[in-house]
PDB file of all heavy atoms in Angstrom:
ATOM      1  N   GLU A 459     183.039 -73.508 -35.688  1.00 98.00           N
ATOM      2  CA  GLU A 459     184.244 -73.425 -36.603  1.00 98.00           C
ATOM      3  C   GLU A 459     184.203 -72.141 -37.426  1.00 98.00           C
ATOM      4  O   GLU A 459     183.309 -72.010 -38.178  1.00 98.00           O
ATOM      5  CB  GLU A 459     184.332 -74.658 -37.398  1.00 98.00           C
ATOM      6  CG  GLU A 459     184.524 -75.996 -36.583  1.00 98.00           C
ATOM      7  CD  GLU A 459     184.544 -77.177 -37.522  1.00 98.00           C
ATOM      8  OE1 GLU A 459     184.645 -77.027 -38.713  1.00 98.00           O
ATOM      9  OE2 GLU A 459     184.711 -78.284 -36.883  1.00 98.00           O
ATOM     10  N   ILE A 460     185.203 -71.289 -37.179  1.00 98.00           N
ATOM     11  CA  ILE A 460     185.219 -70.009 -37.864  1.00 98.00           C
ATOM     12  C   ILE A 460     185.751 -70.167 -39.296  1.00 98.00           C
ATOM     13  O   ILE A 460     186.890 -70.764 -39.470  1.00 98.00           O
ATOM     14  CB  ILE A 460     186.135 -69.032 -37.151  1.00 98.00           C
ATOM     15  CG1 ILE A 460     185.595 -68.984 -35.635  1.00 98.00           C
ATOM     16  CG2 ILE A 460     186.018 -67.689 -37.722  1.00 98.00           C
ATOM     17  CD1 ILE A 460     184.248 -68.628 -35.336  1.00 98.00           C
ATOM     18  N   SER A 461     184.948 -69.800 -40.326  1.00 98.00           N
ATOM     19  CA  SER A 461     185.323 -70.117 -41.669  1.00 98.00           C
ATOM     20  C   SER A 461     185.956 -68.879 -42.408  1.00 98.00           C
ATOM     21  O   SER A 461     186.718 -69.065 -43.398  1.00 98.00           O
ATOM     22  CB  SER A 461     184.158 -70.678 -42.455  1.00 98.00           C
ATOM     23  OG  SER A 461     183.125 -69.719 -42.446  1.00 98.00           O
ATOM     24  N   ASN A 462     185.460 -67.621 -42.022  1.00 98.00           N
ATOM     25  CA  ASN A 462     185.945 -66.501 -42.959  1.00 98.00           C
ATOM     26  C   ASN A 462     185.758 -65.325 -42.081  1.00 98.00           C
ATOM     27  O   ASN A 462     185.256 -65.288 -40.871  1.00 98.00           O
ATOM     28  CB  ASN A 462     185.026 -66.400 -44.074  1.00 98.00           C
ATOM     29  CG  ASN A 462     185.717 -65.826 -45.401  1.00 98.00           C
ATOM     30  OD1 ASN A 462     186.735 -65.082 -45.163  1.00 98.00           O
ATOM     31  ND2 ASN A 462     185.232 -66.013 -46.507  1.00 98.00           N
ATOM     32  N   VAL A 463     186.032 -64.193 -42.640  1.00 98.00           N
ATOM     33  CA  VAL A 463     185.971 -62.730 -42.117  1.00 98.00           C
ATOM     34  C   VAL A 463     184.883 -62.111 -42.790  1.00 98.00           C
ATOM     35  O   VAL A 463     184.680 -62.208 -43.995  1.00 98.00           O
ATOM     36  CB  VAL A 463     187.217 -61.972 -42.088  1.00 98.00           C
ATOM     37  CG1 VAL A 463     187.710 -61.786 -43.500  1.00 98.00           C
ATOM     38  CG2 VAL A 463     187.051 -60.725 -41.459  1.00 98.00           C
ATOM     39  N   MET A 469     183.602 -62.384 -37.488  1.00 98.00           N
ATOM     40  CA  MET A 469     184.005 -63.622 -38.148  1.00 98.00           C
ATOM     41  C   MET A 469     182.776 -64.418 -38.527  1.00 98.00           C
ATOM     42  O   MET A 469     181.752 -64.195 -37.864  1.00 98.00           O
ATOM     43  CB  MET A 469     185.057 -64.357 -37.530  1.00 98.00           C
ATOM     44  CG  MET A 469     186.320 -63.581 -37.020  1.00 98.00           C
ATOM     45  SD  MET A 469     187.226 -62.928 -38.392  1.00 98.00           S
ATOM     46  CE  MET A 469     188.250 -61.620 -37.701  1.00 98.00           C
ATOM     47  N   VAL A 470     182.966 -65.397 -39.475  1.00 98.00           N
ATOM     48  CA  VAL A 470     181.702 -66.144 -39.984  1.00 98.00           C
ATOM     49  C   VAL A 470     181.879 -67.549 -39.474  1.00 98.00           C
ATOM     50  O   VAL A 470     182.896 -68.193 -39.674  1.00 98.00           O
ATOM     51  CB  VAL A 470     181.657 -65.936 -41.487  1.00 98.00           C
ATOM     52  CG1 VAL A 470     180.399 -66.710 -41.918  1.00 98.00           C
ATOM     53  CG2 VAL A 470     181.537 -64.532 -41.941  1.00 98.00           C
ATOM     54  N   VAL A 480     180.699 -63.916 -35.368  1.00 98.00           N
ATOM     55  CA  VAL A 480     181.405 -64.036 -34.094  1.00 98.00           C
ATOM     56  C   VAL A 480     182.487 -63.053 -33.925  1.00 98.00           C
ATOM     57  O   VAL A 480     183.327 -62.845 -34.837  1.00 98.00           O
ATOM     58  CB  VAL A 480     181.953 -65.471 -34.102  1.00 98.00           C
ATOM     59  CG1 VAL A 480     182.532 -65.785 -32.706  1.00 98.00           C
ATOM     60  CG2 VAL A 480     180.967 -66.584 -34.529  1.00 98.00           C
ATOM     61  N   SER A 481     182.472 -62.380 -32.831  1.00 97.00           N
ATOM     62  CA  SER A 481     183.506 -61.536 -32.329  1.00 97.00           C
ATOM     63  C   SER A 481     184.616 -62.199 -31.708  1.00 97.00           C
ATOM     64  O   SER A 481     184.451 -63.210 -31.149  1.00 97.00           O
ATOM     65  CB  SER A 481     183.028 -60.252 -31.623  1.00 97.00           C
ATOM     66  OG  SER A 481     182.571 -60.849 -30.322  1.00 97.00           O
ATOM     67  N   ASP A 482     185.797 -61.488 -31.738  1.00 98.00           N
ATOM     68  CA  ASP A 482     187.065 -62.013 -30.998  1.00 98.00           C
ATOM     69  C   ASP A 482     187.505 -63.357 -31.378  1.00 98.00           C
ATOM     70  O   ASP A 482     187.991 -64.186 -30.542  1.00 98.00           O
ATOM     71  CB  ASP A 482     186.797 -62.021 -29.393  1.00 98.00           C
ATOM     72  CG  ASP A 482     186.261 -60.703 -28.980  1.00 98.00           C
ATOM     73  OD1 ASP A 482     187.125 -59.682 -29.188  1.00 98.00           O
ATOM     74  OD2 ASP A 482     185.236 -60.416 -28.396  1.00 98.00           O
ATOM     75  N   ALA A 483     187.304 -63.712 -32.626  1.00 98.00           N
ATOM     76  CA  ALA A 483     187.672 -64.923 -33.228  1.00 98.00           C
ATOM     77  C   ALA A 483     188.538 -64.704 -34.436  1.00 98.00           C
ATOM     78  O   ALA A 483     188.834 -63.615 -34.794  1.00 98.00           O
ATOM     79  CB  ALA A 483     186.490 -65.853 -33.571  1.00 98.00           C
ATOM     80  N   ILE A 484     189.135 -65.712 -35.103  1.00 98.00           N
ATOM     81  CA  ILE A 484     189.875 -65.727 -36.311  1.00 98.00           C
ATOM     82  C   ILE A 484     189.690 -66.850 -37.224  1.00 98.00           C
ATOM     83  O   ILE A 484     189.313 -67.977 -36.721  1.00 98.00           O
ATOM     84  CB  ILE A 484     191.393 -65.720 -35.977  1.00 98.00           C
ATOM     85  CG1 ILE A 484     191.802 -64.859 -34.851  1.00 98.00           C
ATOM     86  CG2 ILE A 484     192.299 -65.605 -37.127  1.00 98.00           C
ATOM     87  CD1 ILE A 484     193.294 -64.911 -34.361  1.00 98.00           C
ATOM     88  N   PRO A 485     189.473 -66.664 -38.518  1.00 98.00           N
ATOM     89  CA  PRO A 485     189.217 -67.786 -39.423  1.00 98.00           C
ATOM     90  C   PRO A 485     190.232 -68.944 -39.056  1.00 98.00           C
ATOM     91  O   PRO A 485     191.400 -68.811 -38.995  1.00 98.00           O
ATOM     92  CB  PRO A 485     189.448 -67.207 -40.827  1.00 98.00           C
ATOM     93  CG  PRO A 485     189.047 -65.717 -40.578  1.00 98.00           C
ATOM     94  CD  PRO A 485     189.597 -65.304 -39.250  1.00 98.00           C
ATOM     95  N   GLY A 486     189.636 -70.096 -39.204  1.00 98.00           N
ATOM     96  CA  GLY A 486     190.378 -71.335 -38.852  1.00 98.00           C
ATOM     97  C   GLY A 486     190.302 -71.888 -37.502  1.00 98.00           C
ATOM     98  O   GLY A 486     190.680 -73.034 -37.157  1.00 98.00           O
ATOM     99  N   GLU A 487     189.798 -71.071 -36.539  1.00 98.00           N
ATOM    100  CA  GLU A 487     189.736 -71.431 -35.166  1.00 98.00           C
ATOM    101  C   GLU A 487     188.473 -72.199 -34.871  1.00 98.00           C
ATOM    102  O   GLU A 487     187.436 -72.138 -35.568  1.00 98.00           O
ATOM    103  CB  GLU A 487     189.646 -70.129 -34.269  1.00 98.00           C
ATOM    104  CG  GLU A 487     191.107 -69.487 -34.328  1.00 98.00           C
ATOM    105  CD  GLU A 487     191.213 -68.383 -33.189  1.00 98.00           C
ATOM    106  OE1 GLU A 487     190.128 -67.772 -32.892  1.00 98.00           O
ATOM    107  OE2 GLU A 487     192.296 -68.046 -32.682  1.00 98.00           O
ATOM    108  N   THR A 488     188.357 -72.896 -33.852  1.00 98.00           N
ATOM    109  CA  THR A 488     187.265 -73.527 -33.143  1.00 98.00           C
ATOM    110  C   THR A 488     187.129 -72.899 -31.821  1.00 98.00           C
ATOM    111  O   THR A 488     188.028 -72.792 -31.136  1.00 98.00           O
ATOM    112  CB  THR A 488     187.317 -74.954 -33.040  1.00 98.00           C
ATOM    113  OG1 THR A 488     187.534 -75.669 -34.289  1.00 98.00           O
ATOM    114  CG2 THR A 488     186.117 -75.617 -32.431  1.00 98.00           C
ATOM    115  N   VAL A 489     185.921 -72.273 -31.587  1.00 98.00           N
ATOM    116  CA  VAL A 489     185.683 -71.446 -30.418  1.00 98.00           C
ATOM    117  C   VAL A 489     184.413 -71.934 -29.786  1.00 98.00           C
ATOM    118  O   VAL A 489     183.422 -72.477 -30.373  1.00 98.00           O
ATOM    119  CB  VAL A 489     185.688 -70.008 -30.727  1.00 98.00           C
ATOM    120  CG1 VAL A 489     186.958 -69.515 -31.410  1.00 98.00           C
ATOM    121  CG2 VAL A 489     184.350 -69.761 -31.492  1.00 98.00           C
ATOM    122  N   ALA A 506     182.905 -64.694 -28.804  1.00 98.00           N
ATOM    123  CA  ALA A 506     183.786 -65.950 -28.367  1.00 98.00           C
ATOM    124  C   ALA A 506     184.174 -65.835 -26.907  1.00 98.00           C
ATOM    125  O   ALA A 506     184.433 -64.826 -26.574  1.00 98.00           O
ATOM    126  CB  ALA A 506     185.059 -65.987 -29.211  1.00 98.00           C
ATOM    127  N   ILE A 509     188.709 -70.243 -26.493  1.00 98.00           N
ATOM    128  CA  ILE A 509     189.297 -70.668 -27.784  1.00 98.00           C
ATOM    129  C   ILE A 509     189.757 -72.187 -27.685  1.00 98.00           C
ATOM    130  O   ILE A 509     190.588 -72.557 -26.805  1.00 98.00           O
ATOM    131  CB  ILE A 509     190.530 -69.907 -28.169  1.00 98.00           C
ATOM    132  CG1 ILE A 509     190.298 -68.340 -28.229  1.00 98.00           C
ATOM    133  CG2 ILE A 509     191.104 -70.328 -29.487  1.00 98.00           C
ATOM    134  CD1 ILE A 509     189.129 -67.926 -28.984  1.00 98.00           C
ATOM    135  N   ASP A 511     190.606 -74.282 -30.294  1.00 98.00           N
ATOM    136  CA  ASP A 511     191.598 -74.620 -31.353  1.00 98.00           C
ATOM    137  C   ASP A 511     192.113 -73.271 -31.899  1.00 98.00           C
ATOM    138  O   ASP A 511     191.413 -72.756 -32.749  1.00 98.00           O
ATOM    139  CB  ASP A 511     191.208 -75.645 -32.395  1.00 98.00           C
ATOM    140  CG  ASP A 511     192.270 -75.981 -33.324  1.00 98.00           C
ATOM    141  OD1 ASP A 511     193.480 -75.679 -33.049  1.00 98.00           O
ATOM    142  OD2 ASP A 511     191.940 -76.555 -34.408  1.00 98.00           O
ATOM    143  N   ALA A 512     193.240 -72.749 -31.438  1.00 98.00           N
ATOM    144  CA  ALA A 512     193.657 -71.512 -31.789  1.00 98.00           C
ATOM    145  C   ALA A 512     194.384 -71.346 -33.062  1.00 98.00           C
ATOM    146  O   ALA A 512     194.961 -72.238 -33.626  1.00 98.00           O
ATOM    147  CB  ALA A 512     194.613 -70.914 -30.671  1.00 98.00           C
ATOM    148  N   SER A 513     194.075 -70.158 -33.787  1.00 98.00           N
ATOM    149  CA  SER A 513     194.786 -69.855 -34.945  1.00 98.00           C
ATOM    150  C   SER A 513     196.406 -69.581 -34.659  1.00 98.00           C
ATOM    151  O   SER A 513     196.597 -68.955 -33.560  1.00 98.00           O
ATOM    152  CB  SER A 513     194.171 -68.657 -35.688  1.00 98.00           C
ATOM    153  OG  SER A 513     195.036 -67.923 -36.564  1.00 98.00           O
ATOM    154  N   PRO A 514     197.256 -69.804 -35.577  1.00 98.00           N
ATOM    155  CA  PRO A 514     198.563 -69.434 -35.287  1.00 98.00           C
ATOM    156  C   PRO A 514     198.793 -67.862 -35.363  1.00 98.00           C
ATOM    157  O   PRO A 514     199.814 -67.454 -34.976  1.00 98.00           O
ATOM    158  CB  PRO A 514     199.458 -70.184 -36.460  1.00 98.00           C
ATOM    159  CG  PRO A 514     198.383 -70.338 -37.456  1.00 98.00           C
ATOM    160  CD  PRO A 514     197.049 -70.740 -36.769  1.00 98.00           C
ATOM    161  N   HIS A 515     197.801 -67.104 -35.898  1.00 98.00           N
ATOM    162  CA  HIS A 515     197.829 -65.723 -35.933  1.00 98.00           C
ATOM    163  C   HIS A 515     197.285 -65.020 -34.717  1.00 98.00           C
ATOM    164  O   HIS A 515     197.176 -63.815 -34.632  1.00 98.00           O
ATOM    165  CB  HIS A 515     197.046 -65.208 -37.070  1.00 98.00           C
ATOM    166  CG  HIS A 515     197.502 -65.962 -38.462  1.00 98.00           C
ATOM    167  ND1 HIS A 515     198.769 -65.683 -38.946  1.00 98.00           N
ATOM    168  CD2 HIS A 515     196.898 -66.772 -39.283  1.00 98.00           C
ATOM    169  CE1 HIS A 515     198.905 -66.357 -40.085  1.00 98.00           C
ATOM    170  NE2 HIS A 515     197.747 -67.008 -40.350  1.00 98.00           N
ATOM    171  N   ARG A 516     196.887 -65.862 -33.673  1.00 98.00           N
ATOM    172  CA  ARG A 516     196.377 -65.271 -32.523  1.00 98.00           C
ATOM    173  C   ARG A 516     197.443 -64.804 -31.550  1.00 98.00           C
ATOM    174  O   ARG A 516     198.528 -65.384 -31.428  1.00 98.00           O
ATOM    175  CB  ARG A 516     195.523 -66.301 -31.636  1.00 98.00           C
ATOM    176  CG  ARG A 516     194.879 -65.755 -30.348  1.00 98.00           C
ATOM    177  CD  ARG A 516     193.888 -66.616 -29.649  1.00 98.00           C
ATOM    178  NE  ARG A 516     192.630 -66.537 -30.399  1.00 98.00           N
ATOM    179  CZ  ARG A 516     191.730 -65.607 -30.189  1.00 98.00           C
ATOM    180  NH1 ARG A 516     191.754 -64.687 -29.203  1.00 98.00           N
ATOM    181  NH2 ARG A 516     190.557 -65.624 -30.929  1.00 98.00           N
ATOM    182  N   GLN A 517     197.214 -63.636 -31.006  1.00 98.00           N
ATOM    183  CA  GLN A 517     198.243 -62.951 -30.016  1.00 98.00           C
ATOM    184  C   GLN A 517     197.517 -62.516 -28.834  1.00 98.00           C
ATOM    185  O   GLN A 517     196.315 -62.292 -28.735  1.00 98.00           O
ATOM    186  CB  GLN A 517     198.946 -61.816 -30.795  1.00 98.00           C
ATOM    187  CG  GLN A 517     198.187 -60.716 -31.131  1.00 98.00           C
ATOM    188  CD  GLN A 517     198.836 -59.454 -31.730  1.00 98.00           C
ATOM    189  OE1 GLN A 517     199.951 -59.669 -32.166  1.00 98.00           O
ATOM    190  NE2 GLN A 517     198.067 -58.389 -31.959  1.00 98.00           N
ATOM    191  N   HIS A 541     193.494 -58.792 -31.281  1.00 98.00           N
ATOM    192  CA  HIS A 541     193.979 -60.223 -30.894  1.00 98.00           C
ATOM    193  C   HIS A 541     194.600 -60.931 -31.994  1.00 98.00           C
ATOM    194  O   HIS A 541     194.985 -62.131 -31.854  1.00 98.00           O
ATOM    195  CB  HIS A 541     192.792 -61.030 -30.410  1.00 98.00           C
ATOM    196  CG  HIS A 541     191.657 -61.252 -31.324  1.00 98.00           C
ATOM    197  ND1 HIS A 541     190.821 -60.156 -31.812  1.00 98.00           N
ATOM    198  CD2 HIS A 541     191.214 -62.396 -32.010  1.00 98.00           C
ATOM    199  CE1 HIS A 541     190.077 -60.653 -32.710  1.00 98.00           C
ATOM    200  NE2 HIS A 541     190.182 -61.940 -32.878  1.00 98.00           N
ATOM    201  N   ILE A 542     194.814 -60.148 -33.207  1.00 98.00           N
ATOM    202  CA  ILE A 542     195.235 -60.819 -34.323  1.00 98.00           C
ATOM    203  C   ILE A 542     196.641 -60.324 -34.664  1.00 98.00           C
ATOM    204  O   ILE A 542     196.796 -58.940 -34.744  1.00 98.00           O
ATOM    205  CB  ILE A 542     194.232 -60.606 -35.568  1.00 98.00           C
ATOM    206  CG1 ILE A 542     192.873 -61.143 -35.192  1.00 98.00           C
ATOM    207  CG2 ILE A 542     194.687 -61.417 -36.786  1.00 98.00           C
ATOM    208  CD1 ILE A 542     191.827 -60.712 -36.174  1.00 98.00           C
ATOM    209  N   ALA A 543     197.653 -61.151 -35.175  1.00 98.00           N
ATOM    210  CA  ALA A 543     198.903 -60.602 -35.522  1.00 98.00           C
ATOM    211  C   ALA A 543     198.795 -59.550 -36.640  1.00 98.00           C
ATOM    212  O   ALA A 543     197.887 -59.853 -37.559  1.00 98.00           O
ATOM    213  CB  ALA A 543     199.781 -61.728 -35.931  1.00 98.00           C
ATOM    214  N   HIS A 546     198.454 -60.562 -40.269  1.00 98.00           N
ATOM    215  CA  HIS A 546     197.207 -61.294 -40.702  1.00 98.00           C
ATOM    216  C   HIS A 546     196.072 -60.344 -40.586  1.00 98.00           C
ATOM    217  O   HIS A 546     195.076 -60.570 -41.397  1.00 98.00           O
ATOM    218  CB  HIS A 546     197.082 -62.427 -39.766  1.00 98.00           C
ATOM    219  CG  HIS A 546     196.100 -63.452 -40.373  1.00 98.00           C
ATOM    220  ND1 HIS A 546     196.210 -64.067 -41.513  1.00 98.00           N
ATOM    221  CD2 HIS A 546     194.912 -63.986 -39.960  1.00 98.00           C
ATOM    222  CE1 HIS A 546     195.186 -64.980 -41.746  1.00 98.00           C
ATOM    223  NE2 HIS A 546     194.303 -64.849 -40.718  1.00 98.00           N
ATOM    224  N   LEU A 550     193.213 -60.132 -43.680  1.00 98.00           N
ATOM    225  CA  LEU A 550     191.872 -60.186 -43.541  1.00 98.00           C
ATOM    226  C   LEU A 550     191.182 -58.930 -44.071  1.00 98.00           C
ATOM    227  O   LEU A 550     190.103 -59.102 -44.863  1.00 98.00           O
ATOM    228  CB  LEU A 550     191.535 -60.352 -42.029  1.00 98.00           C
ATOM    229  CG  LEU A 550     191.927 -61.633 -41.371  1.00 98.00           C
ATOM    230  CD1 LEU A 550     191.504 -61.688 -39.893  1.00 98.00           C
ATOM    231  CD2 LEU A 550     191.410 -62.845 -42.133  1.00 98.00           C
TER     232      LEU A 550
END
Side-chain angles (χ1 to χ4, degrees):
E459 294 183 2
I460 309 301
S461 61
N462 209 342
V463 59
M469 306 300 162
V470 181
V480 188
S481 64
D482 302 304
I484 306 173
E487 291 188 328
T488 302
V489 306
I509 307 304
D511 184 12
S513 164
H515 304 294
R516 179 170 285 274
Q517 63 179 13
H541 62 291
I542 307 171
H546 198 58
L550 296 179

